[in-house]
């Protein structure tokens, strides 16, 4: 559903989150969710089942919208479940989808 080209910060930095493109998330993910769930994601992390479309695996991660950054983020175990598991590097592209 969403393709993400990883940066050096995504794979090797000290960040614990992955910044997602707002337009892509709104077009492919949150429009499928109830308004209540979308609103909850602006207040607190919500746990989602993240689908790795390249390997057909599924992983629990945290999802949140931060108003002050006007952006959606994956947090929690996304780095372990994607970067480390697949030995990804800057410039690699991943495909993801999210289910509640």
């Amino acid at each position: 559903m969403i393709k993400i080209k990883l940066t050096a910060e995504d794979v090797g930095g000290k960040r614990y989150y992955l910044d997602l493109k707002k337009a892509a998330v709104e077009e492919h993910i949150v429009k499928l969710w109830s308004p209540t769930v979308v609103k909850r994601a602006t207040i607190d992390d919500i746990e989602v089942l993240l689908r790795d479309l390249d390997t057909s695996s599924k992983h629990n991660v945290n999802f949140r919208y931060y108003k002050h950054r006007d952006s959606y983020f994956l947090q929690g175990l996304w780095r372990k479940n994607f970067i480390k598991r697949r030995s990804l590097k800057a410039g690699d592209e991943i495909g993801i989808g999210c289910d509640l």
Side-chain angles (χ1 to χ4, degrees):
M1 294 178 103
I2 296 177
K3 291 285 189 180
I4 300 165
K5 189 169 188 171
L6 299 170
T7 67
E9 284 187 332
D10 295 333
V11 299
K14 295 181 181 180
R15 293 190 327 196
Y16 62 91
Y17 60 87
L18 180 62
D19 191 348
L20 303 173
K21 302 275 187 212
K22 183 179 177 186
V25 171
E26 290 178 344
E27 180 179 345
H28 298 289
I29 295 175
V30 297
K31 78 175 186 178
L32 304 173
W33 295 351
S34 75
T36 303
V37 171
V38 174
K39 182 173 176 131
R40 198 175 92 217
T42 67
I43 298 167
D44 199 4
D45 291 357
I46 58 172
E47 188 173 300
V48 297
L49 188 61
L50 190 68
R51 289 178 282 126
D52 181 337
L53 301 177
D54 303 312
T55 65
S56 299
S57 58
K58 297 178 181 180
H59 309 277
N60 289 321
V61 298
N62 294 328
F63 176 90
R64 187 164 186 179
Y65 174 77
Y66 285 99
K67 188 174 185 174
H68 69 281
R69 298 272 308 265
D70 194 29
S71 193
Y72 293 93
F73 293 88
L74 293 179
Q75 303 175 122
L77 298 176
W78 78 269
R79 182 176 289 227
K80 175 184 173 188
N81 291 333
F82 282 84
I83 305 301
K84 291 181 180 179
R85 178 179 60 89
R86 294 180 49 193
S87 300
L88 296 170
K89 295 177 177 45
D92 289 344
E93 188 173 73
I94 60 173
I96 63 167
C98 285
D99 298 319
L100 292 173

